[in-house]
Amino acid sequence: MANEIDLHVGKRLRRRRRLLGLTQQQLAEKVGIRFQQIQKYECGANRVTASRLYECAVILNVPVGYFYENMPQSITAASPVPPANDRDLIAADVLSQKETLELIRAYYKLGDRPRRRLLDLAKALQDESSSEAG
């Protein structure tokens, strides 16, 4: 029976792996395990050990704490860690959308100058829509 925390860590592992465009096989090879083990981690069937979680964090270029961010209230209610606010929950939902992942991947494939210009454009459009709404 999967623990809620194991499920959450597995979902975060899957999200980050996908964001980087890695397959389960590719991640497994980097960690030195079989892809079936990655599958089991991602669905919460197997618990990730501390050392393996650290390895994954290094490979996926995130702090270990990333895997515990935005835990559901049902988990955090019993712990001293404050629950995520609505803005964090909305951000997590946006990051899980396929369109967002595609946009992020395309953005990071651009060179520095086009990336900066695209960011400036997005900020200008945001400012424009904010002033129209007000």
Side-chain angles (χ1 to χ4, degrees), residues 1-130:
M1 185 83 177
N3 175 297
E4 283 185 78
I5 296 172
D6 297 329
L7 288 169
H8 181 78
V9 168
K11 285 179 185 176
R12 298 286 292 174
L13 178 65
R14 180 184 309 118
R15 177 180 294 157
R16 183 65 182 170
R17 176 183 61 76
R18 285 181 174 172
L19 180 65
L20 296 176
L22 293 173
T23 65
Q24 289 177 333
Q25 180 68 39
Q26 290 168 324
L27 178 57
E29 287 172 4
K30 290 177 186 240
V31 175
I33 58 177
R34 296 177 188 264
F35 82 92
Q36 291 92 336
Q37 190 62 46
I38 298 294
Q39 284 177 325
K40 290 176 181 180
Y41 291 155
E42 290 184 355
C43 71
N46 282 11
R47 181 169 288 164
V48 186
T49 64
S51 57
R52 183 68 42 82
L53 191 61
Y54 179 80
E55 286 179 85
C56 289
V58 169
I59 291 165
L60 299 174
N61 198 27
V62 292
V64 173
Y66 164 85
F67 298 104
Y68 299 98
E69 291 175 358
N70 302 316
M71 286 242 230
Q73 180 112 19
S74 61
I75 298 171
T76 58
S79 72
V81 179
N85 62 35
D86 288 343
R87 193 180 100 239
D88 291 340
L89 294 173
I90 291 168
D93 184 49
V94 167
L95 286 174
S96 68
Q97 295 177 14
K98 184 179 178 185
E99 179 183 58
T100 305
L101 295 176
E102 290 173 2
L103 180 62
I104 291 170
R105 283 188 194 120
Y107 176 81
Y108 281 106
K109 286 180 182 175
L110 296 173
D112 286 341
R113 187 162 186 228
R115 206 167 43 219
R116 182 72 209 163
R117 292 179 69 198
L118 181 58
L119 180 59
D120 291 342
L121 173 63
K123 287 179 179 178
L125 291 171
Q126 179 185 7
D127 291 344
E128 187 177 303
S129 68
S130 295

